[in-house]
Amino acid sequence: QKAEQANTLHEVMAAAQAWFVERLASAEGEKARASLATRGFNQRTVDRFGFGYAPEGRSQLRDALQRAGVSLELSIEAGLVGKGEDGALFDRMRGRVIFPIQNHTGKIIGFGARIIKSNDRAPKYINTPENEIYIKSKINFT
């Protein structure tokens, strides 16, 4: 059952990754592309590492995943959608350049994200919360 669940979470991450990449290439990703260019990332590097963009909206990713057939429960379990203290749902990564985190087989297991527009209240960098497939202490980046 855990292996089946892990495969499903990998599929959710892959769907999110495809959406993030589409957003970066779209008109709404212009500021994110400019931010990457300012930091010296050319298009070849962006494509090679699969960088993406999460727009500002609180439900855009959640809605896109639901249209792709991903249940709300899986989006929450994957750490892509959060639930506030008031019960309101929200996309965890908003207004950020997205960097996919892969395991040793190349499957996406999570995301790192850097804010584009500085905001004193928001952390500069965030990662996907740990879940069944993304456990930071078990990732070997060498």
Side-chain angles (χ1 to χ4, degrees), residues 8-25:
T8 304
L9 286 176
H10 286 298
E11 292 166 6
V12 172
M13 295 300 187
Q17 170 63 9
W19 187 80
F20 289 141
V21 168
E22 286 175 5
R23 299 285 63 79
L24 182 63

Side-chain angles (χ1 to χ4, degrees), residues 99-110:
F99 307 96
I101 301 168
Q102 300 177 348
N103 67 11
H104 66 284
T105 66
K107 289 184 178 180
I108 297 170
I109 57 174

Side-chain angles (χ1 to χ4, degrees), residues 12-79:
V12 172
M13 295 300 187
Q17 170 63 9
W19 187 80
F20 289 141
V21 168
E22 286 175 5
R23 299 285 63 79
L24 182 63
S26 73
E28 67 186 330
E30 184 177 347
K31 287 181 183 177
R33 290 190 306 272
S35 176
L36 287 166
T38 299
R39 288 172 171 73
F41 293 105
N42 61 31
Q43 190 61 48
R44 182 177 171 188
T45 301
V46 168
D47 293 342
R48 178 174 180 232
F49 291 102
F51 295 167
Y53 171 63
E56 290 284 345
R58 291 182 55 88
S59 67
Q60 290 185 44
L61 174 61
R62 179 183 76 206
D63 295 344
L65 290 174
Q66 285 188 305
R67 285 191 300 273
V70 175
S71 71
L72 185 56
E73 292 77 21
L74 268 177
S75 294
I76 292 169
E77 186 177 338

Side-chain angles (χ1 to χ4, degrees), residues 110-132:
F111 298 96
R114 185 186 194 286
I115 199 160
I116 295 171
K117 185 179 177 184
S118 181
N119 179 336
D120 291 338
R121 295 180 299 153
K124 188 183 279 188
Y125 294 97
I126 61 172
N127 288 333
T128 304
E130 289 190 350
N131 58 47
E132 187 71 31

